[in-house]
Amino acid sequence: MTTARPIDLATWPRREHFEHYRDRVPCTYAVTVDVDVTEMAAALRASGRKTYVAQVWALASLVNRHAEFRTTLTADGAPATWDELHPMFTVLNPERETFAAVWAPFDADFGRFHDVAADLLATHRSATTFFPQDDVPANTFDVSSLPWTSFTGFTLQVAGGWDHFAPIFTLGRYTERDGRTVLPLAVQVHHAVADGFHTARLVNELQELASDPSWIS
């Protein structure tokens, strides 16, 4: 069973940073980047797999690679790390013009994850409630998609969200640039748990996954 494991503050290299950006100067930051997904897009077209599901899986695989993006608080307010985070992602009901948020258990095997997530998207495309599943776990992180437009900046203002440590990802519409396919990606992060170094590493690793899509089958 996935649990949140308390962090040993006596040995945690990030203790001062965590306390500063949570208590003294609480802040989040957002970074919007362009990811070259030319090879990934081509592999997805050839495979018949769903683009959105592949994007969600790629992000989930990286979140689960790095503990800083799995930080949470215990019931008594102490920092802890989830063993695993599962992606929660949006699906539009086109008739109502509202969306639902659904989650799928993360699976390191893209094929298995794809089948589960694609079925969820199809099942809940006509959902009339925000959270149509009854079993939403605490260890999730959010992904949303704006496939109708591209963007160069995107920021969320989360009221009272100073203890929300999981990253929030927003995906935009592909654009073609100099013969390459580019995906805009916005990443919102709490500064208490991750610095620009950590976010840049995640973005660079996402670029690596997109450039070598051998995981798509």
Side-chain angles (χ1 to χ4, degrees), residues 75-165:
D76 59 0
T81 305
W82 290 112
D83 293 334
E84 188 174 50
L85 280 188
H86 307 294
M88 174 169 280
F89 43 99
T90 55
V91 53
L92 179 73
N93 180 327
E95 293 184 1
R96 289 168 57 93
E97 296 186 354
T98 59
F99 70 88
V102 299
W103 76 279
F106 175 67
D107 192 315
D109 182 277
F110 170 64
R112 290 196 298 263
F113 177 85
H114 179 277
D115 292 346
V116 172
D119 183 64
L120 283 169
L121 290 174
T123 298
H124 297 294
R125 181 177 170 82
S126 58
T128 58
T129 58
F130 196 175
F131 300 102
Q133 296 162 296
D134 296 326
D135 56 346
V136 179
N139 55 319
T140 61
F141 71 96
D142 295 309
V143 183
S144 61
S145 180
L146 296 175
W148 313 279
T149 188
S150 186
F151 52 78
T152 57
F154 188 97
T155 305
L156 293 167
Q157 288 78 42
V158 183
W162 299 122
D163 285 341
H164 183 92
F165 298 134

Side-chain angles (χ1 to χ4, degrees), residues 166-183:
I168 302 173
F169 299 96
T170 307
L171 303 153
R173 184 178 66 188
Y174 285 170
T175 59
E176 299 299 320
R177 187 181 304 159
D178 298 325
R180 306 295 292 179
T181 303
V182 177
L183 168 71

